[in-house]
């Protein structure tokens, strides 16, 4: 109920406008967001790299509603690629298609994405398309395939959310083309007609899909994570849930998958101890580092995932 409400609020433009101005809210969001500028984010990535982990930089933004906003977002993302290349940090990038105009002009979104993929290809860098909520699922799959099949971009991968009933089949289809996949549980509120309503089922599906990905990355089909942090292996297990992590590690051992072919990904500000532990064990670990002024929807989803975060936020507001 609370989760549903917070996810709903994350979409309210007026709430975004009002809350983004509160200094106290901004300071609290900094637990999960690397700052409002690219320079701040690059510094955070340097720190992450110093501990042996790589990053994926995400210029925050979604649901843009004008051509100007979408083109500006694409321009900033190309600049992120440029700064990664020139600063030498170990990172690639993640982006959302609604940030590039998907919601109101698919053609504009394609055009923006092509410009980013081309820029990243020139820098020999991988680009992850984040998966948003179900109204954008089909369009995201279809634009992704177009980029691979019609435009020949190999440097692009997708996200699978284990809460959808269809995800196992989607995964099989993507793996047939050796797609690099990040597996997550799913951060949005989805109807029971299309998504598992209970956490236990989402977790079981996560383990099952993760194992399929792991098996498919063995032998000649898989790749190791690249040393420069720009390319992930096929299988990226993105969770802070220790049981899911343990399952993936066991599945990899059963399948004979070497550690460098199994990446763990986590969000900036969450379970740092687990990130460092996996890194010490010899797995590639990538931290998702969001930055920018549009932190409100991202922050609300993080509050929705864990009620304790919301109480912390509210008690700080009251203490003010
Ligand atoms: P779960 O929610 O069961 O949490 C397990 C444990 O992790 C908790 O007990 C707690 O200790 C810790 N934890 C989890 N969330 C926390 C929080 N917000 N604050 C503090 N502690 C927390 N989703 C999506 O729909 N599309 C996408 O493209 C992506 N991309 C993405 C990239 C990466 C790198 C990650 C790690 C996650 C995503 N997600 C996502 C989000 C994902 O779907 C999911 O909502 C979160 O990862 C939380 O789920 P967990 O798997 O961590 O499990």
């Amino acid at each position: 109920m609370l989760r549903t409400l917070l996810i709903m609020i994350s979409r309210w433009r007026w709430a975004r406008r009002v809350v983004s101005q509160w200094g106290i809210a901004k300071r609290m969001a900094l637990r999960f967001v690397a700052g409002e500028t690219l320079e701040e984010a690059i510094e955070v990535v340097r720190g992450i790299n110093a501990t042996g982990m790589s990053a994926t930089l995400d210029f925050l933004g979604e649901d843009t509603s004008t051509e100007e906003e979408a083109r500006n977002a694409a321009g900033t993302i190309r600049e992120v690629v440029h700064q990664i290349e020139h600063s030498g940090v170990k990172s690639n990038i993640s982006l959302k298609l609604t940030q590039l105009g998907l919601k109101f002009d698919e053609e504009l979104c394609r055009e923006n994405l092509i410009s980013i993929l081309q820029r990243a290809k020139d820098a020999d860098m991988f680009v992850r398309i984040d998966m948003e909520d179900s109204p954008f699922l089909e369009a995201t799959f279809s634009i992704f395939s177009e980029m691979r099949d019609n435009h020949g971009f190999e440097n692009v991968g997708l996200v699978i959310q284990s809460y959808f009933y269809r995800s196992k089949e989607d995964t099989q289809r993507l793996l047939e083309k050796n797609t690099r996949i990040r597996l997550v549980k799913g951060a949005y509120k989805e109807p029971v007609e299309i998504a598992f309503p209970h956490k236990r089922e989402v977790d079981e599906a996560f383990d099952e899909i993760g194992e399929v990905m792991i098996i498919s990355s063995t032998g000649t089909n898989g790749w190791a994570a690249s040393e420069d942090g720009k390319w992930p292996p096929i299988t990226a297990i993105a969770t802070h849930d220790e049981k899911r992590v343990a399952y993936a590690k066991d599945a990899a051992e059963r399948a004979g998958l070497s550690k460098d072919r199994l990446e763990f990904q986590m969000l900036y500000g969450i379970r740092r101890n687990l990130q460092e532990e996996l890194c010490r064990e010899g797995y590639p670990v990538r931290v998702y580092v969001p930055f920018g002024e549009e932190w409100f929807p991202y922050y609300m989803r993080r509050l929705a995932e864990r009620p304790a975060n919301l109480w912390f936020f509210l008690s700080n507001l009251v203490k003010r």
Side-chain angles (χ1 to χ4, degrees), residues 31-32 130-131 159 161 163 182 184-188 199 238-241 265-267 270-271 288 302 305-306 309:
R31 176 187 162 191
F32 301 111
D130 286 347
M131 194 58 90
V159 173
Q161 296 147 315
Y163 60 20
R182 172 202 295 151
V184 303
K185 292 187 186 179
Y188 302 86
K199 177 172 160 47
T239 181
H240 317 91
D241 182 339
Q265 298 191 357
M266 293 185 210
L267 301 177
I270 303 182
R271 297 304 312 267
Y288 186 102
R302 301 296 75 83
E305 277 156 7
R306 198 159 177 252
N309 292 345

Short mmCIF file of all heavy atoms in Angstrom, two decimals, residues 31-32 130-131 159 161 163 182 184-188 199 238-241 265-267 270-271 288 302 305-306 309, ligand 1:
data_model
loop_
_atom_site.label_atom_id
_atom_site.label_comp_id
_atom_site.label_asym_id
_atom_site.label_seq_id
_atom_site.Cartn_x
_atom_site.Cartn_y
_atom_site.Cartn_z
N ARG A 31 22.20 10.40 -0.12
CA ARG A 31 22.60 9.04 0.29
C ARG A 31 22.60 8.12 -0.94
O ARG A 31 23.38 7.18 -1.02
CB ARG A 31 21.62 8.51 1.34
CG ARG A 31 21.97 7.09 1.69
CD ARG A 31 21.05 6.36 2.58
NE ARG A 31 21.32 4.93 2.44
CZ ARG A 31 20.57 3.98 2.92
NH1 ARG A 31 19.48 4.28 3.60
NH2 ARG A 31 20.88 2.71 2.75
N PHE A 32 21.69 8.39 -1.89
CA PHE A 32 21.54 7.50 -3.05
C PHE A 32 21.99 8.14 -4.36
O PHE A 32 22.02 7.47 -5.39
CB PHE A 32 20.06 7.11 -3.21
CG PHE A 32 19.48 6.39 -2.02
CD1 PHE A 32 18.53 7.00 -1.23
CD2 PHE A 32 19.89 5.11 -1.70
CE1 PHE A 32 17.99 6.34 -0.13
CE2 PHE A 32 19.36 4.45 -0.61
CZ PHE A 32 18.41 5.06 0.18
N ASP A 130 18.02 0.96 -19.21
CA ASP A 130 17.24 0.56 -18.02
C ASP A 130 15.84 0.18 -18.48
O ASP A 130 15.35 0.68 -19.49
CB ASP A 130 17.10 1.74 -17.04
CG ASP A 130 18.40 2.04 -16.29
OD1 ASP A 130 19.32 1.21 -16.32
OD2 ASP A 130 18.47 3.12 -15.67
N MET A 131 15.18 -0.71 -17.72
CA MET A 131 13.80 -1.05 -18.07
C MET A 131 12.86 -0.28 -17.15
O MET A 131 13.01 -0.31 -15.94
CB MET A 131 13.59 -2.56 -17.95
CG MET A 131 12.31 -3.04 -18.60
SD MET A 131 12.19 -2.66 -20.37
CE MET A 131 12.92 -4.11 -21.10
N VAL A 159 17.71 -4.68 -19.58
CA VAL A 159 17.42 -5.12 -18.21
C VAL A 159 16.19 -6.02 -18.24
O VAL A 159 15.23 -5.75 -18.96
CB VAL A 159 17.12 -3.89 -17.31
CG1 VAL A 159 16.65 -4.33 -15.93
CG2 VAL A 159 18.36 -3.00 -17.19
N GLN A 161 13.27 -7.67 -15.71
CA GLN A 161 12.70 -7.56 -14.36
C GLN A 161 12.01 -8.88 -14.01
O GLN A 161 11.08 -9.30 -14.70
CB GLN A 161 11.67 -6.42 -14.34
CG GLN A 161 12.28 -5.04 -14.61
CD GLN A 161 11.35 -4.12 -15.35
OE1 GLN A 161 10.71 -4.52 -16.32
NE2 GLN A 161 11.27 -2.86 -14.93
N TYR A 163 9.88 -9.72 -11.90
CA TYR A 163 8.47 -9.75 -11.47
C TYR A 163 7.47 -9.98 -12.59
O TYR A 163 6.31 -10.27 -12.34
CB TYR A 163 8.10 -8.55 -10.60
CG TYR A 163 8.23 -7.13 -11.14
CD1 TYR A 163 8.29 -6.80 -12.48
CD2 TYR A 163 8.26 -6.07 -10.22
CE1 TYR A 163 8.38 -5.49 -12.91
CE2 TYR A 163 8.35 -4.75 -10.64
CZ TYR A 163 8.41 -4.46 -11.99
OH TYR A 163 8.50 -3.16 -12.41
N ARG A 182 21.13 -7.26 -17.56
CA ARG A 182 21.14 -7.00 -16.10
C ARG A 182 19.81 -7.52 -15.56
O ARG A 182 18.75 -7.12 -16.04
CB ARG A 182 21.25 -5.50 -15.83
CG ARG A 182 21.08 -5.16 -14.33
CD ARG A 182 20.66 -3.72 -14.09
NE ARG A 182 21.66 -2.77 -14.48
CZ ARG A 182 21.35 -1.53 -14.90
NH1 ARG A 182 20.10 -1.14 -15.00
NH2 ARG A 182 22.30 -0.70 -15.25
N VAL A 184 17.12 -7.70 -12.61
CA VAL A 184 16.66 -7.01 -11.39
C VAL A 184 15.31 -7.61 -11.00
O VAL A 184 14.69 -8.31 -11.79
CB VAL A 184 16.52 -5.49 -11.60
CG1 VAL A 184 17.82 -4.85 -12.06
CG2 VAL A 184 15.39 -5.15 -12.59
N LYS A 185 14.83 -7.24 -9.80
CA LYS A 185 13.50 -7.72 -9.40
C LYS A 185 12.41 -6.87 -10.04
O LYS A 185 11.35 -7.37 -10.42
CB LYS A 185 13.37 -7.67 -7.88
CG LYS A 185 14.27 -8.67 -7.16
CD LYS A 185 13.97 -8.70 -5.67
CE LYS A 185 14.97 -9.59 -4.95
NZ LYS A 185 14.74 -9.61 -3.50
N GLY A 186 12.65 -5.56 -10.16
CA GLY A 186 11.64 -4.65 -10.72
C GLY A 186 11.23 -3.63 -9.68
O GLY A 186 10.92 -4.00 -8.55
N ALA A 187 11.23 -2.36 -10.07
CA ALA A 187 11.05 -1.28 -9.08
C ALA A 187 9.69 -0.58 -9.16
O ALA A 187 9.44 0.33 -8.38
CB ALA A 187 12.16 -0.25 -9.26
N TYR A 188 8.82 -0.99 -10.09
CA TYR A 188 7.57 -0.24 -10.30
C TYR A 188 6.39 -1.03 -9.75
O TYR A 188 6.52 -2.19 -9.37
CB TYR A 188 7.39 0.07 -11.79
CG TYR A 188 8.54 0.86 -12.35
CD1 TYR A 188 9.69 0.23 -12.82
CD2 TYR A 188 8.50 2.26 -12.37
CE1 TYR A 188 10.78 0.96 -13.31
CE2 TYR A 188 9.57 3.00 -12.86
CZ TYR A 188 10.70 2.34 -13.33
OH TYR A 188 11.77 3.07 -13.80
N LYS A 199 6.46 -11.26 -3.06
CA LYS A 199 7.93 -11.19 -3.09
C LYS A 199 8.56 -12.58 -3.30
O LYS A 199 9.52 -12.72 -4.04
CB LYS A 199 8.42 -10.57 -1.77
CG LYS A 199 9.92 -10.49 -1.64
CD LYS A 199 10.33 -9.71 -0.41
CE LYS A 199 11.75 -9.98 0.03
NZ LYS A 199 12.78 -9.97 -0.99
N ALA A 238 21.77 -7.97 -10.46
CA ALA A 238 21.66 -6.68 -9.78
C ALA A 238 20.67 -6.78 -8.62
O ALA A 238 19.46 -6.71 -8.81
CB ALA A 238 21.23 -5.60 -10.76
N THR A 239 21.21 -6.94 -7.45
CA THR A 239 20.37 -7.05 -6.25
C THR A 239 21.22 -6.80 -5.01
O THR A 239 22.44 -6.96 -5.05
CB THR A 239 19.73 -8.46 -6.15
OG1 THR A 239 18.89 -8.52 -5.00
CG2 THR A 239 20.76 -9.57 -6.06
N HIS A 240 20.53 -6.41 -3.92
CA HIS A 240 21.21 -6.28 -2.62
C HIS A 240 20.79 -7.41 -1.69
O HIS A 240 21.07 -7.40 -0.51
CB HIS A 240 20.88 -4.94 -1.98
CG HIS A 240 20.90 -3.81 -2.95
ND1 HIS A 240 19.79 -3.40 -3.65
CD2 HIS A 240 21.92 -3.05 -3.39
CE1 HIS A 240 20.11 -2.42 -4.46
NE2 HIS A 240 21.39 -2.18 -4.33
N ASP A 241 20.07 -8.37 -2.24
CA ASP A 241 19.48 -9.45 -1.47
C ASP A 241 20.51 -10.58 -1.36
O ASP A 241 20.84 -11.25 -2.35
CB ASP A 241 18.21 -9.92 -2.22
CG ASP A 241 17.46 -11.01 -1.50
OD1 ASP A 241 18.07 -11.70 -0.66
OD2 ASP A 241 16.27 -11.19 -1.80
N GLN A 265 25.83 -6.23 -9.50
CA GLN A 265 25.61 -4.79 -9.58
C GLN A 265 24.73 -4.35 -8.41
O GLN A 265 23.77 -5.03 -8.06
CB GLN A 265 24.91 -4.43 -10.89
CG GLN A 265 25.73 -4.77 -12.12
CD GLN A 265 25.16 -4.18 -13.40
OE1 GLN A 265 24.08 -3.54 -13.40
NE2 GLN A 265 25.87 -4.35 -14.50
N MET A 266 25.08 -3.22 -7.85
CA MET A 266 24.26 -2.66 -6.75
C MET A 266 24.16 -1.16 -6.90
O MET A 266 24.94 -0.54 -7.65
CB MET A 266 24.87 -3.01 -5.39
CG MET A 266 24.79 -4.51 -5.14
SD MET A 266 25.33 -5.01 -3.53
CE MET A 266 25.91 -6.66 -3.95
N LEU A 267 23.21 -0.58 -6.19
CA LEU A 267 22.98 0.86 -6.29
C LEU A 267 23.89 1.61 -5.33
O LEU A 267 24.16 1.13 -4.21
CB LEU A 267 21.51 1.18 -5.97
CG LEU A 267 20.46 0.50 -6.86
CD1 LEU A 267 19.05 0.86 -6.39
CD2 LEU A 267 20.63 0.89 -8.33
N ILE A 270 23.73 1.70 -1.21
CA ILE A 270 23.04 0.55 -0.61
C ILE A 270 23.99 -0.65 -0.49
O ILE A 270 24.64 -1.01 -1.46
CB ILE A 270 21.80 0.16 -1.45
CG1 ILE A 270 20.84 1.35 -1.58
CG2 ILE A 270 21.08 -1.04 -0.81
CD1 ILE A 270 19.57 1.07 -2.34
N ARG A 271 24.03 -1.24 0.70
CA ARG A 271 24.80 -2.46 0.99
C ARG A 271 26.27 -2.38 0.53
O ARG A 271 26.77 -3.28 -0.13
CB ARG A 271 24.13 -3.70 0.41
CG ARG A 271 22.76 -4.03 0.95
CD ARG A 271 22.75 -4.21 2.47
NE ARG A 271 23.80 -5.06 3.00
CZ ARG A 271 23.65 -6.36 3.23
NH1 ARG A 271 22.51 -6.95 2.98
NH2 ARG A 271 24.64 -7.06 3.74
N TYR A 288 25.89 1.31 -9.54
CA TYR A 288 25.03 2.19 -10.36
C TYR A 288 25.05 3.57 -9.70
O TYR A 288 24.60 3.71 -8.56
CB TYR A 288 23.63 1.59 -10.38
CG TYR A 288 22.61 2.25 -11.26
CD1 TYR A 288 22.26 1.69 -12.49
CD2 TYR A 288 21.94 3.40 -10.86
CE1 TYR A 288 21.29 2.26 -13.29
CE2 TYR A 288 20.96 3.97 -11.66
CZ TYR A 288 20.64 3.39 -12.87
OH TYR A 288 19.67 3.96 -13.66
N ARG A 302 13.48 4.51 -4.20
CA ARG A 302 14.34 3.94 -3.14
C ARG A 302 13.62 3.97 -1.79
O ARG A 302 13.75 3.06 -0.99
CB ARG A 302 15.67 4.73 -3.02
CG ARG A 302 16.51 4.79 -4.26
CD ARG A 302 17.06 3.49 -4.78
NE ARG A 302 16.23 2.56 -5.47
CZ ARG A 302 15.89 2.59 -6.77
NH1 ARG A 302 16.32 3.54 -7.55
NH2 ARG A 302 15.12 1.64 -7.30
N GLU A 305 11.13 1.10 -1.67
CA GLU A 305 11.69 -0.25 -1.50
C GLU A 305 11.87 -0.61 -0.03
O GLU A 305 11.93 -1.78 0.33
CB GLU A 305 13.08 -0.32 -2.17
CG GLU A 305 13.00 -0.59 -3.64
CD GLU A 305 14.23 -0.11 -4.37
OE1 GLU A 305 15.21 0.32 -3.73
OE2 GLU A 305 14.21 -0.13 -5.61
N ARG A 306 12.00 0.41 0.81
CA ARG A 306 12.33 0.10 2.21
C ARG A 306 11.66 1.14 3.11
O ARG A 306 12.12 2.28 3.19
CB ARG A 306 13.85 0.15 2.37
CG ARG A 306 14.31 -0.55 3.60
CD ARG A 306 15.78 -0.93 3.48
NE ARG A 306 16.23 -1.55 4.70
CZ ARG A 306 17.05 -0.96 5.55
NH1 ARG A 306 17.49 0.25 5.33
NH2 ARG A 306 17.43 -1.60 6.64
N ASN A 309 13.53 3.70 5.16
CA ASN A 309 14.07 4.91 4.52
C ASN A 309 13.07 6.06 4.61
O ASN A 309 13.45 7.22 4.78
CB ASN A 309 14.35 4.65 3.03
CG ASN A 309 15.48 3.68 2.81
OD1 ASN A 309 16.24 3.41 3.73
ND2 ASN A 309 15.60 3.16 1.60
P1 LIG B 1 15.02 -6.44 -1.87
O1 LIG B 1 14.11 -5.30 -2.13
O2 LIG B 1 14.44 -7.74 -1.42
O3 LIG B 1 16.12 -5.96 -0.85
C1 LIG B 1 17.09 -6.81 -0.28
C2 LIG B 1 17.88 -6.04 0.79
O4 LIG B 1 18.61 -4.99 0.15
C3 LIG B 1 17.00 -5.33 1.80
O5 LIG B 1 16.67 -6.17 2.86
C4 LIG B 1 17.88 -4.17 2.22
O6 LIG B 1 18.87 -4.60 3.13
C5 LIG B 1 18.58 -3.80 0.94
N1 LIG B 1 17.85 -2.76 0.19
C6 LIG B 1 17.12 -2.91 -0.94
N2 LIG B 1 16.63 -1.73 -1.37
C7 LIG B 1 17.04 -0.81 -0.47
C8 LIG B 1 16.86 0.59 -0.35
N3 LIG B 1 16.16 1.28 -1.23
N4 LIG B 1 17.44 1.22 0.70
C9 LIG B 1 18.18 0.54 1.61
N5 LIG B 1 18.39 -0.79 1.53
C10 LIG B 1 17.83 -1.46 0.53
N6 LIG B 1 14.58 -1.75 -11.47
C11 LIG B 1 13.87 -1.62 -12.61
O7 LIG B 1 12.64 -1.79 -12.61
N7 LIG B 1 14.51 -1.28 -13.79
C12 LIG B 1 15.87 -1.11 -13.84
O8 LIG B 1 16.40 -0.83 -14.92
C13 LIG B 1 16.62 -1.26 -12.64
N8 LIG B 1 17.97 -1.09 -12.64
C14 LIG B 1 18.69 -1.42 -11.49
C15 LIG B 1 20.09 -1.42 -11.51
C16 LIG B 1 20.80 -1.88 -10.42
C17 LIG B 1 22.30 -1.91 -10.48
C18 LIG B 1 20.11 -2.32 -9.25
C19 LIG B 1 20.85 -2.86 -8.05
C20 LIG B 1 18.74 -2.27 -9.20
C21 LIG B 1 18.01 -1.80 -10.30
N9 LIG B 1 16.63 -1.75 -10.26
C22 LIG B 1 15.93 -1.58 -11.45
C23 LIG B 1 15.91 -1.81 -8.95
C24 LIG B 1 15.44 -3.23 -8.62
O9 LIG B 1 14.39 -3.59 -9.47
C25 LIG B 1 14.94 -3.30 -7.15
O10 LIG B 1 13.86 -2.44 -6.98
C26 LIG B 1 16.00 -2.95 -6.12
O11 LIG B 1 17.25 -3.47 -6.47
C27 LIG B 1 15.63 -3.50 -4.72
O12 LIG B 1 15.52 -4.88 -4.77
P2 LIG B 1 16.62 -5.93 -4.23
O13 LIG B 1 16.92 -6.86 -5.34
O14 LIG B 1 17.77 -5.23 -3.66
O15 LIG B 1 15.85 -6.82 -3.17
#
